[in-house]
Amino acid sequence: MTVTNWVVTASGLISLFIHIDAGFITYEDARRAVIQAEDALLTGGRLHLNDKEERANEIFMRYKFDELAAGFYDSDVNAAGLHFFKGKPLIDKSNVLKFLKRMPKGANLHMHNSASVSSDWMVRNISYMPGLLRCTNKEGISILSFRRTPREHGCVTQYVLVNEERFRSISPAVYDRSFEKLINLYTPKPDSDYPTIKHVWRKFQNMFSTTGDLLSYIPAFRAYTRRMLEEMYEDNLMYAEVRMSFKELYDYSGRLFPPDRTVSELLVIVEDFRREYPKFWASKRFTQHIAMLNGRVCFSSLKHSNNCKHCIFSIANPDFIIGFDLVGQEDLGKPLHNFVSELADLPKSAKYFFHAGETNWYGASTDFNLLDALLLNTTRIGHGYALMKHPVLWNAVKKRNVAIEVSPISNQVLGLVADLRNHPGSFYMSQNLPMVICNDDPGFWGSKGLSYDFYYAIMSLAPNNAGLKTLKSLVWNSLRYSVLSKQEERVAFEKLENAWDEFISDVLKGKVF
């Protein structure tokens, strides 16, 4: 038996200490064995890189160690330990980020479409569309709409044309900066502006109210959805499973279109995009989404394809249901346990993709959503932030191979963790729990694509010496834990491997930095 084998389990570690005391093994050999055993347990720890990948990893690690060393001696430049709003200017200059932007990242398995597109693009494009109106409701929330006879939305002010407001403002640039604040949580002072989870979640949810009716306007929906695909493609993603509300659409004349029209619009947009960009690969599945609003769940018509108000779609062919989810701030909503009977009544073929454990509480009904999600045989767990506190559950996750959808920046911006080096994702990596890196609502905090979340995954969640093996494992996980069929998965992996080999060659040729 080798020394390393002794330390893989707790009992083996005790045995190792005994052998040290007896003089059968040197202190340094024992120390080395423990480190090697932990490295083997880490996400990607048992992955073997080929010669080219090893050389690419050496290049990547030089840049990673340089940034970590600078941050170790000066906390003001340690982006890995800063709030994203403070660290982003540093990350934008980072060679690690350059590497990650060029790296194929496979799939994004947890993103909400209504917060997926960059706020600056929304300002430059959607806000300049003719006919956009704005009003303010009694809570002080701005409501945007293209309806000629806008719905009430509880507004206490008259609707005004955005283009006229912009014309009457000090300058278009000043107006645009003010407009962007309606749809982006950014602040240079996150600690004081959002002192509690309650404060940041209130503004976060208000932004969905601001854009909800706007995104039901067919021309805006088309442009927005197209841009969502572009931003993923530009960040070297090849596939996505997107949480979405399938709502009634409308046009400028006031005509209304049922949710099925949303499905047909999506099909056209995605297929047109795939023809233009063949590298953007997509599945042939559709998943349906239940949203929890004010403690209620939309269960109506769930047994019928495409008729629920709130849905998820898996790009690109949404014509049969494969799964369901619940969304909303878990701490304020009813626990998943309350809906077990309704969920159990859904089709036997249904797959679940529950948000669960997005909380700092321990032993509350919120974190027990993790237990109910697993008892309901969820396919993946959204966030799973509280999972580390439940050893029986995280062992079940590992044994049953249920992936955790980890969204580092979301968890930080929405108030769960201040320093991402303290994120439970570090524990999930150390135990090689099945996990994927996701971006949740990137448009609402300026983290276009998935590269920024990958930055925190490798710089904050992963140990200092983790590099390409961990990154590659996370990328491969993104397809492994998708809803792709075996045949689709095989084709997707072929495309991913080709893209990965090309990327590694570019790194070695100096084309990335």
Side-chain angles (χ1 to χ4, degrees):
M1 180 182 292
T2 65
V3 172
T4 301
N5 287 337
W6 283 345
V7 299
V8 172
T9 65
S11 60
L13 187 58
I14 294 171
S15 176
L16 180 65
F17 291 148
I18 293 171
H19 281 76
I20 294 174
D21 292 339
F24 296 143
I25 181 174
T26 68
Y27 181 94
E28 291 302 323
D29 283 344
R31 188 174 186 273
R32 190 179 306 111
V34 172
I35 294 172
Q36 290 173 351
E38 286 199 341
D39 286 345
L41 287 173
L42 183 72
T43 296
R46 297 186 181 275
L47 191 69
H48 295 288
L49 301 180
N50 61 35
D51 290 342
K52 288 186 176 181
E53 289 173 322
E54 289 285 6
R55 284 155 48 205
N57 183 55
E58 290 175 5
I59 295 170
F60 172 77
M61 292 305 295
R62 287 202 297 270
Y63 290 114
K64 178 178 179 179
F65 284 142
D66 284 347
E67 289 187 31
L68 290 174
F72 184 81
Y73 290 105
D74 184 356
S75 59
D76 289 338
V77 299
N78 182 28
L82 294 175
H83 190 287
F84 177 63
F85 292 160
K86 297 178 180 179
K88 187 174 183 293
L90 296 169
I91 299 172
D92 285 335
K93 300 174 184 177
S94 162
N95 281 314
V96 170
L97 184 71
K98 289 180 183 177
F99 183 96
L100 295 173
K101 282 188 172 182
R102 290 290 299 274
M103 182 182 77
K105 284 169 284 293
N108 183 12
L109 301 184
H110 185 131
M111 181 175 69
H112 300 268
N113 88 300
S114 53
S116 63
V117 173
S118 300
S119 57
D120 60 346
W121 182 91
M122 291 280 287
V123 172
R124 295 192 313 270
N125 294 273
I126 302 297
S127 80
Y128 278 82
M129 292 179 73
L132 179 60
L133 300 162
R134 188 188 70 82
C135 76
T136 304
N137 69 13
K138 61 184 178 181
E139 285 83 28
I141 304 168
S142 286
I143 305 297
L144 301 170
S145 178
F146 284 95
R147 298 180 193 268
R148 289 185 179 181
T149 54
R151 294 177 175 178
E152 276 296 313
H153 296 298
C155 286
V156 295
T157 65
Q158 294 293 318
Y159 275 91
V160 294
L161 283 166
V162 167
N163 282 335
E164 289 184 3
E165 272 195 322
R166 181 181 285 111
F167 179 77
R168 294 196 303 267
S169 68
I170 297 173
S171 74
V174 170
Y175 182 86
D176 287 351
R177 286 195 294 271
S178 177
F179 187 95
E180 188 171 4
K181 291 179 181 178
L182 301 177
I183 53 175
N184 194 312
L185 285 169
Y186 171 78
T187 169
K189 302 177 296 180
D191 297 337
S192 58
D193 288 350
Y194 307 126
T196 68
I197 288 179
K198 177 181 178 181
H199 290 84
V200 69
W201 267 89
R202 182 186 298 124
K203 182 171 182 183
F204 174 63
Q205 292 178 319
N206 288 348
M207 293 192 298
F208 288 103
S209 299
T210 294
T211 61
D213 202 56
L214 174 157
L215 295 178
S216 294
Y217 178 55
I218 290 179
F221 175 82
R222 290 170 178 165
Y224 183 92
T225 304
R226 164 79 185 198
R227 184 57 190 165
M228 178 184 72
L229 300 177
E230 288 174 347
E231 292 192 359
M232 288 191 287
Y233 183 78
E234 289 167 0
D235 198 45
N236 283 299
L237 284 158
M238 61 183 291
Y239 172 76
E241 294 172 10
V242 184
R243 285 159 167 83
M244 182 174 185
S245 296
F246 279 34
K247 299 184 293 186
E248 185 180 73
L249 299 179
Y250 65 94
D251 64 13
Y252 194 63
S253 69
R255 289 184 301 168
L256 303 179
F257 303 90
D260 283 354
R261 176 62 180 266
T262 308
V263 176
S264 60
E265 291 284 343
L266 273 171
L267 278 168
V268 171
I269 295 166
V270 172
E271 287 306 318
D272 285 349
F273 191 84
R274 290 178 66 196
R275 278 193 292 270
E276 189 172 349
Y277 300 100
K279 290 183 179 180
F280 188 81
W281 194 82
S283 83
K284 307 291 184 182
R285 303 289 192 212
F286 174 76
T287 60
Q288 187 129 354
H289 187 207
I290 316 163
M292 181 159 57
L293 300 171
N294 301 321
R296 294 183 300 107
V297 175
C298 171
F299 285 105
S300 60
S301 303
L302 285 178
K303 296 178 183 178
H304 305 285
S305 174
N306 307 330
N307 288 331
C308 183
K309 182 179 178 184
H310 302 277
C311 313
I312 304 174
F313 73 91
S314 172
I315 297 169
N317 187 4
D319 51 10
F320 95 98
I321 299 171
I322 65 162
F324 303 88
D325 185 21
L326 293 164
V327 299
Q329 187 179 4
E330 288 184 75
D331 285 338
L332 298 184
K334 290 184 179 180
L336 185 57
H337 186 241
N338 285 31
F339 307 110
V340 170
S341 60
E342 290 94 333
L343 291 167
D345 193 41
L346 295 179
K348 297 297 183 184
S349 60
K351 294 181 184 293
Y352 295 130
F353 301 86
F354 292 126
H355 281 65
E358 190 182 3
T359 182
N360 274 323
W361 289 101
Y362 182 21
S365 60
T366 305
D367 68 317
F368 277 112
N369 282 340
L370 289 161
L371 170 59
D372 290 301
L374 287 168
L375 290 175
L376 286 163
N377 200 31
T378 190
T379 299
R380 294 196 304 266
I381 293 174
H383 296 290
Y385 185 86
L387 184 65
M388 182 178 70
K389 301 171 184 176
H390 299 275
V392 172
L393 299 185
W394 66 254
N395 273 290
V397 160
K398 189 169 187 177
K399 184 176 181 179
R400 291 168 53 183
N401 209 27
V402 177
I404 311 160
E405 300 163 350
V406 177
S407 300
I409 297 175
S410 173
N411 294 158
Q412 184 188 60
V413 170
L414 295 180
L416 290 179
V417 59
D419 185 333
L420 282 168
R421 292 173 298 178
N422 297 324
H423 191 283
S426 291
F427 175 76
Y428 306 152
M429 279 193 180
S430 74
Q431 297 297 308
N432 194 21
L433 295 186
M435 61 179 282
V436 291
I437 301 300
C438 307
N439 60 8
D440 202 18
D441 302 283
F444 281 179
W445 40 75
S447 62
K448 182 173 70 172
L450 195 53
S451 291
Y452 289 101
D453 284 278
F454 260 93
Y455 179 91
Y456 282 107
I458 198 64
M459 298 295 287
S460 305
L461 274 59
N464 287 3
N465 63 341
L468 198 60
K469 288 199 292 185
T470 295
L471 289 170
K472 185 175 182 179
S473 181
L474 291 170
V475 171
W476 258 245
N477 279 355
S478 71
L479 292 182
R480 188 175 295 118
Y481 295 110
S482 71
V483 298
L484 299 174
S485 68
K486 291 298 181 183
Q487 172 63 20
E488 291 166 338
E489 185 180 284
R490 183 186 64 78
V491 175
F493 271 123
E494 286 178 2
K495 290 181 176 289
L496 177 59
E497 286 167 0
N498 290 336
W500 184 265
D501 291 343
E502 183 179 345
F503 164 69
I504 295 298
S505 294
D506 286 345
V507 173
L508 298 180
K509 292 175 184 176
K511 294 182 179 181
V512 171
F513 298 103

